[in-house]
Amino acid sequence: MIVAEDSKKKEVFLMKIQLIRNAALWLEYGGVTFLIDPMLSEKEANPPIVNTENQRRNPLVALPGPAEQWLAPDAVLVTHLHQDHWDQAAVSLLSHELPVLCQDGDGETIAAQAFKHISVVDDSEELQFQGVTLKRTGGQHGTGEIGKLMGKVSGFVFRAEGEPTLYLAGDTIWCEEVKQALDEHTPEVVVVNAGGAQFLTGGHITMNEQDVVELCRYLPSASVIAVHMEAINHCLVTRAQLKGRLEQEGLLERVTLPLDGEWC
């Protein structure tokens, strides 16, 4: 949108986020479009996550529309390489000429998949992409041995002139790394993966209801968007369950629980 001010023209942006499915998001931010954590497989195309309480095939639900509408972003952001964030369908469907942004350690794998323009966002410095600043944050994809087996994961903080600070927490539980990110960046909007994913052994590996409550209480100024629910067989927290808990805690007005395909 272009507006006139004192006979001069300046660009005015308004952040918009569309939940595609699971953790896959379409983000319009600072005049740039990002496709985040694309999982573009057809419904039930993939086997269930092993060592879980059910054997439902993944994804549990279909995409909310044709995949073609999400194939031409300005950049793709991959928080980590687990199949529910970067699947073979995305590798096949997306142009290998697209810029791909990823955490340190994942670039070689993505390059081996024939993507040509890869930028690694590490801990040492911020990344500038078409006027948008991205900063990597840490997290814990579970605790104990399960957490170690799940490997490295990342969140990302977005900043651009005229936009709210956005913190995409990624696949993490409520932990010190998330607190540090909130303290350092004081985001106005936080996106959390809140499906309470869990195996038969060990604790949860993504945020559950209590984690979302703790985050909301820790930074009461932030608006929260909860995603990564009802699409993968080991994600056990439903939107209805999270909504009910948030109502009990008086926090529902702070948290948006978009349906697949819905815009925030």
Side-chain angles (χ1 to χ4, degrees), residues 174-197:
W174 175 245
C175 60
E176 286 302 317
E177 288 87 343
V178 174
K179 294 178 186 177
Q180 291 169 9
L182 297 175
D183 290 341
E184 179 180 353
H185 301 285
T186 319
E188 294 157 88
V189 181
V190 182
V191 178
V192 295
N193 293 347

Side-chain angles (χ1 to χ4, degrees), residues 33-35 73-78 86 94-102 110 115-119 129-130:
T33 55
F34 296 91
L35 175 62
D74 294 316
V76 180
L77 174 63
V78 181
W86 180 246
L94 290 166
S95 167
H96 290 184
E97 298 293 335
L98 282 170
V100 180
L101 317 178
C102 66
I110 296 171
F115 287 87
K116 301 175 183 178
H117 308 289
I118 301 166
S119 296
F129 185 84
Q130 296 184 16

Side-chain angles (χ1 to χ4, degrees), residues 78-90:
V78 181
T79 62
H80 64 300
L81 295 178
H82 289 169
Q83 189 178 30
D84 60 330
H85 295 256
W86 180 246
D87 64 358
Q88 186 56 48

Side-chain angles (χ1 to χ4, degrees), residues 17 50 53 55 70 102 106 111-113 121 141 146 155 192 198 211 222 224-225 231 237 240 248 258 264:
I17 301 176
V50 299
E53 68 175 31
Q55 293 300 302
W70 298 295
C102 66
D106 290 351
Q113 295 169 329
V121 187
H141 203 355
I146 291 292
V192 295
Q198 190 164 351
D211 289 344
V224 178
I225 302 172
V237 175
Q248 291 176 4
C264 302

Side-chain angles (χ1 to χ4, degrees), residues 15 17 27 29 156-158 164-168 187-191:
M15 180 181 73
I17 301 176
L27 171 65
Y29 190 89
F156 293 89
V157 174
F158 294 74
T165 300
L166 169 66
Y167 171 34
L168 184 77
E188 294 157 88
V189 181
V190 182
V191 178

